Amino acid sequence: ADGSFTDFIASQFEGFLGGLGMKVDEKNQILWANSGDILNDSIATTGIFAFEIGSGKLRKKYLPRPNSSHFFNDLVLDDQGFVYISDMY
């Protein structure tokens, strides 16, 4: 490797903000990632995103209901492919 790199996805692609917890589903070749940003210490924007590893294409996106208090931080995958997240609020 020559030390070069490229972005996996473009900045703010499909609403993805700062990357937090991430895990790879090797069987399905999916990168699961929590995204979030805290605005002025009280308003949080957060979501769970699933990207195809080979292309970066968004496969799924889960956002909390508007005006709800959530901030998704870390995540884990189980052997059946279920995703579990931690919510800081």
Side-chain angles (χ1 to χ4, degrees):
D2 65 4
S4 64
F5 63 91
T6 61
D7 289 336
F8 180 68
I9 58 171
S11 181
Q12 299 184 9
F13 175 70
E14 295 285 351
F16 190 84
L17 301 169
L20 299 165
M22 297 183 192
K23 297 289 185 282
V24 172
D25 177 345
E26 292 183 40
K27 178 181 173 187
N28 296 304
Q29 291 296 290
I30 299 293
L31 171 66
W32 286 93
N34 285 339
S35 170
D37 192 17
I38 297 178
L39 309 171
N40 61 22
D41 295 328
S42 62
I43 301 170
T45 303
T46 195
I48 306 166
F49 294 74
F51 299 101
E52 291 180 4
I53 291 176
S55 67
K57 179 181 175 185
L58 180 68
R59 292 275 302 270
K60 297 178 184 177
K61 174 168 73 171
Y62 301 96
L63 303 174
R65 287 181 291 226
N67 302 317
S68 61
S69 295
H70 296 283
F71 189 76
F72 305 147
N73 190 19
D74 205 0
L75 60 89
V76 295
L77 303 172
D78 70 13
D79 293 339
Q80 296 177 328
F82 290 100
V83 178
Y84 300 90
I85 61 167
S86 62
D87 185 350
M88 294 177 53
Y89 286 109

